[in-house]
Amino acid sequence: MAATKKAVLGPLVGAVDQGTSSTRFLVFNSKTAELLSHHQVEIKQEFPREGWVEQDPKEILQSVYECIEKTCEKLGQLNIDISNIKAIGVSNQRETTVVWDRLTGEPLYNAVAAPVSPGPSDPVAVVPSGSSVPATGASSVWLDLRTQSTVENLSKRIPGNNNFVKSKTGLPLSTYFSAVKLRWLLDNVRKVQKAVEEDRALFGTIDSWLIWSLTGGANGGVHCTDVTNASRTMLFNIHSLEWDKELCEFFEIPIKILPNVRSSSEIYGLMKAGALEGVPISGCLGDQSAALVGQMCFQDGQAKNTYGTGCFLLCNTGRKCVFSEHGLLTTVAYKLGRDKPVYYALEGSVAIAGAVIRWLRDNLGIIKTSEEIEKLAKEVGTSYGCYFVPAFSGLYAPYWEPSARGIICGLTQFTNKCHIAFAALEAVCFQTREILDAMNRDCGIPLSHLQVDGGMTNNKILMQLQADILYIPVVKPSMPETTALGAAMAAGAAEGVGVWSLKPEDLSAVTMERFEPQINAEESEIRYSTWKKAVMKSMGWVTTQSSESGIP
């Protein structure tokens, strides 16, 4: 049967969503935010030595071209004219570091990866090696560890007080962020050193590498990044919104190799090749900021939690920088236009979310697939007093306790695998509540509801438990691709493109699934305080801090 002509209401916007385990290209209708087509390509991670995580920048770039071509073919099969695509946005894994030669366009070393950040579309069932970690440290299970000695050397010579880095960047000195990875490359890779000496080297996070390559590469490519990605390098002053001269001197990084910092929504350049040649690239956001925009968290105090291997919780703090007293990070949320104000966010992460389910599957063997956990939990509907603290490599925010280890407590002869499965789901929710409580204390704005996305949100028991444990409604959009949607919104709204209005009255109402608390407040508090008792029992297991790298 011949395909019928499909009506396209208004202009389309594409989004490149480049994550640690895959690259995707998605095309949205700018008037309805409907996802029309997409294509995904898996990306290999390389582990040249234990504790090192790398990716091939050329493979990443090739995967972007492939996703664009295949998505355009799919649109053609739907009789949708690709000339309707008016702009492209980029969303990317943050912190991953690339250095390349501006004359040849060749990478000078593999991309040194950040841990796997749970993208809103990462299904928990296919978790690759590595995982999300809180941005203030990790154990060797989770993180590219080659930079640990670099951090130790740097921390010995911090000028003045330990607040030097944090007061300017909102970040602690840690192996997680790009500056330390870049310092490692400059110290250890001769090709990088030589290119810097000969003025051929360019540095960027994945967004910079992609935008430079897509807009011409060695033939006039645009070397830029946006404020959200820049704010994760540890070289960017989040107050002045510029590369910080003192920080660059401290890390001994030449400013000339850094990209120009732009807003998250403006025309950076035009596509120079492929099916979408001539289309402007006009949106750029780090993945967690993109999800915040895609969830339309534009008001002070609105927050989203992305559930993947770990969780990333971001709360919009408006135009003011809020510095955390409880181990959270201060970061740039977005700046949606050259002349638009910058918005900030507090960010907290749960290291072990989907990873605990993978552990039950791969290490204990009590489930065969990640989806089975919902079935087991449903059979009992309670943990029967069993609590599971998955502190596999210490406790992170808000405790920062490297001596902790995972425990399952409150066991009786009656406890079975269903109760343990239920307790594992509760653990994800309790950890989220701890981050949320820290945010509420730092901001003074109690949250009225939590917006959620990510692979784990398909688990209805988990979502109901989260509402019960937070004692506020949990709201999930029916269209799960919030990260890509955020990048598309930024691109479509850019000056000179103007096909996506971000005015509150124009934003298309997204259908939501809402989970209301179903237990009474007292029961919710009792369960939470018992969880805290279990957390205290998990502390003090490891007496030497042998390889507990980076945890304060």
Side-chain angles (χ1 to χ4, degrees):
M1 194 178 105
T4 52
K5 188 75 179 167
K6 181 157 179 176
V8 175
L9 308 171
L12 311 181
V13 179
V16 173
D17 181 8
Q18 208 297 301
T20 37
S21 56
S22 67
T23 299
R24 299 175 320 137
F25 185 69
L26 306 91
V27 174
F28 296 91
N29 182 329
S30 67
K31 295 300 176 230
T32 62
E34 179 196 357
L35 175 62
L36 298 174
S37 186
H38 74 285
H39 188 76
Q40 175 167 327
V41 172
E42 298 305 312
I43 298 287
K44 283 201 302 287
Q45 285 193 320
E46 296 173 25
F47 303 92
R49 292 192 204 168
E50 191 188 350
W52 291 27
V53 189
E54 295 179 2
Q55 290 175 310
D56 178 354
K58 290 171 81 172
E59 185 195 343
I60 291 174
L61 177 61
Q62 196 45 51
S63 72
V64 171
Y65 279 120
E66 186 182 335
C67 285
I68 290 173
E69 299 302 312
K70 290 279 197 297
T71 305
C72 288
E73 282 172 24
K74 290 177 185 178
L75 288 171
Q77 288 159 11
L78 295 169
N79 282 335
I80 296 173
D81 187 348
I82 61 169
S83 69
N84 285 313
I85 298 173
K86 302 301 180 193
I88 295 167
V90 175
S91 149
N92 58 289
Q93 47 168 316
R94 304 172 300 172
E95 293 98 15
T96 295
T97 298
V98 190
V99 181
W100 66 94
D101 187 317
R102 66 182 178 84
L103 301 180
T104 65
E106 289 294 308
L108 296 163
Y109 191 78
N110 271 345
V112 181
V116 170
S117 76
S121 54
D122 283 359
V124 171
V126 286
V127 178
S129 302
S131 176
S132 67
V133 290
T136 20
S139 86
S140 58
V141 182
W142 300 126
L143 183 57
D144 190 298
L145 272 187
R146 74 190 79 193
T147 51
Q148 191 50 39
S149 59
T150 308
V151 164
E152 284 160 9
N153 294 335
L154 288 166
S155 60
K156 285 175 194 155
R157 53 183 194 79
I158 287 184
N161 62 15
N162 281 347
N163 229 8
F164 169 71
V165 175
K166 192 172 181 186
S167 62
K168 290 168 175 286
T169 65
L171 311 173
L173 181 61
S174 157
T175 57
Y176 190 89
F177 304 106
S178 315
V180 179
K181 298 183 173 89
L182 179 52
R183 184 66 260 152
W184 184 90
L185 289 168
L186 291 166
D187 287 339
N188 293 282
V189 181
R190 182 65 195 128
K191 271 172 84 173
V192 172
Q193 295 162 352
K194 196 165 183 297
V196 170
E197 287 158 15
E198 294 171 7
D199 204 17
R200 291 183 285 112
L202 295 178
F203 153 80
T205 40
I206 293 293
D207 55 305
S208 298
W209 162 246
L210 291 179
I211 292 171
W212 184 84
S213 302
L214 296 171
T215 56
N219 300 311
V222 178
H223 188 216
C224 69
T225 188
D226 90 299
V227 286
T228 68
N229 282 295
S231 78
R232 311 296 292 189
T233 59
M234 242 171 16
L235 298 170
F236 184 69
N237 188 310
I238 60 174
H239 311 286
S240 67
L241 302 183
E242 293 170 336
W243 298 120
D244 190 286
K245 199 162 165 289
E246 287 181 355
L247 286 169
C248 289
E249 283 167 6
F250 172 64
F251 288 104
E252 296 178 66
I253 286 167
I255 282 188
K256 65 182 180 185
I257 73 171
L258 304 181
N260 291 320
V261 183
R262 314 271 286 268
S263 77
S264 312
S265 176
E266 60 178 271
I267 295 175
Y268 312 114
L270 306 180
M271 287 286 288
K272 284 292 191 291
L276 298 180
E277 189 177 342
V279 176
I281 299 174
S282 53
C284 179
L285 289 155
D287 53 9
Q288 301 308 323
S289 285
L292 195 73
V293 171
Q295 286 268 28
M296 301 177 204
C297 293
F298 294 130
Q299 305 298 316
D300 282 27
Q302 279 189 300
K304 69 92 198 167
N305 195 19
T306 298
Y307 296 76
T309 309
C311 291
F312 277 105
L313 222 151
L314 260 72
C315 178
N316 188 333
T317 61
R319 298 185 195 185
K320 58 183 182 299
C321 258
V322 175
F323 282 91
S324 175
E325 301 294 315
H326 304 96
L328 306 177
L329 306 180
T330 305
T331 197
V332 174
Y334 52 81
K335 184 180 190 295
L336 294 173
R338 213 177 304 191
D339 305 319
K340 297 283 195 306
V342 65
Y343 282 73
Y344 295 96
L346 273 176
E347 177 172 326
S349 30
V350 170
I352 313 275
V356 77
I357 290 146
R358 183 179 55 171
W359 184 82
L360 292 177
R361 183 191 70 194
D362 297 348
N363 295 35
L364 290 196
I366 68 172
I367 50 174
K368 285 194 175 65
T369 67
S370 295
E371 290 75 25
E372 266 179 59
I373 192 154
E374 190 170 3
K375 204 164 92 231
L376 284 189
K378 203 172 186 173
E379 276 178 41
V380 286
T382 171
S383 65
Y384 198 71
C386 167
Y387 285 78
F388 185 167
V389 182
F392 297 149
S393 51
L395 285 167
Y396 299 91
Y399 297 101
W400 305 117
E401 187 50 71
S403 71
R405 281 299 173 274
I407 60 166
I408 301 175
C409 54
L411 300 175
T412 69
Q413 281 177 306
F414 179 69
T415 309
N416 64 32
K417 66 181 182 178
C418 298
H419 300 117
I420 291 171
F422 197 95
L425 293 180
E426 281 191 314
V428 175
C429 302
F430 286 130
Q431 291 179 98
T432 296
R433 169 145 181 202
E434 288 179 326
I435 300 284
L436 215 58
D437 281 1
M439 280 182 175
N440 286 340
R441 289 197 297 272
D442 284 328
C443 291
I445 317 168
L447 217 61
S448 62
H449 65 276
L450 179 65
Q451 290 170 231
V452 300
D453 53 57
M456 287 187 85
T457 61
N458 294 327
N459 185 324
K460 287 190 164 34
I461 288 186
L462 178 74
M463 293 296 96
Q464 186 55 55
L465 275 174
Q466 189 68 84
D468 290 346
I469 286 165
L470 294 178
Y471 214 68
I472 56 173
V474 166
V475 179
K476 177 193 170 189
S478 56
M479 204 288 290
E481 305 293 355
T482 49
T483 302
L485 179 62
M489 288 164 65
E495 191 182 333
V497 177
V499 298
W500 205 310
S501 168
L502 299 184
K503 290 179 186 158
E505 64 272 19
D506 293 336
L507 288 172
S508 46
V510 179
T511 51
M512 299 278 191
E513 195 174 354
R514 197 175 169 91
F515 297 85
E516 299 281 349
Q518 288 181 356
I519 59 174
N520 64 44
E522 191 185 3
E523 190 192 337
S524 181
E525 288 309 313
I526 289 168
R527 277 158 69 176
Y528 186 45
S529 60
T530 313
W531 157 265
K532 288 191 155 172
K533 195 158 73 175
V535 169
M536 300 318 285
K537 305 262 184 222
S538 76
M539 293 183 187
W541 283 96
V542 179
T543 45
T544 57
Q545 202 177 335
S546 50
S547 64
E548 300 304 310
S549 68
I551 303 178

